[in-house]
Amino acid sequence: MLPGSDTGLKEANLLGKNLTEEEIASAAANSEHNRTEKFRDHFEHIAICGLWLVAALVLAAALAWFWHLITPESWHWLTADAVGKLQNLLTGGIFATLAAGHLKKRM
């Protein structure tokens, strides 16, 4: 059991303070609000980390594609088919983003 997580002791302390029913309900609502906000904060951190991870992966793919465009063939490590798939993925994503942005403006 985590320290300070015994709900029975918390309830006994709360009832021992001779609080009114409204004050107890307000304390419960405040605790629920704090739990909800903590969850949202954690979820936001996860979403931001995921966004940075996706951005890093897209940048790495773009750098690999650019490398294969400007360097001699002897320096390449991807096959021509793999480079084509990488190009389709990157340019398709760019065009899809542009198209989605354009559609959102028109709606």
Side-chain angles (χ1 to χ4, degrees):
M1 181 177 290
L2 296 173
S5 66
D6 186 358
T7 57
L9 286 176
K10 288 181 181 179
E11 184 178 2
N13 287 335
L14 194 60
L15 292 175
K17 292 180 180 178
N18 293 326
L19 299 175
T20 65
E21 188 175 332
E22 292 83 21
E23 291 171 328
I24 292 173
S26 175
N30 189 32
S31 293
E32 180 63 28
H33 172 74
N34 289 339
R35 280 190 296 275
T36 301
E37 288 302 312
K38 186 182 258 188
F39 174 79
R40 287 180 179 170
D41 289 342
H42 286 294
F43 187 78
E44 185 70 21
H45 290 305
I46 291 168
I48 290 171
C49 289
L51 180 65
W52 277 106
L53 179 64
V54 168
L57 291 173
V58 168
L59 179 64
L63 289 174
W65 177 47
F66 187 67
W67 176 268
H68 280 270
L69 289 176
I70 65 169
T71 59
E73 282 193 35
S74 61
W75 293 8
H76 297 177
W77 70 88
L78 295 174
T79 63
D81 186 45
V83 173
K85 287 180 181 179
L86 193 58
Q87 179 180 351
N88 289 340
L89 178 72
L90 291 171
T91 57
I94 291 169
F95 290 128
T97 302
L98 291 173
H102 182 72
L103 287 174
K104 284 182 183 178
K105 271 198 264 183
R106 300 293 176 227
M107 292 184 148

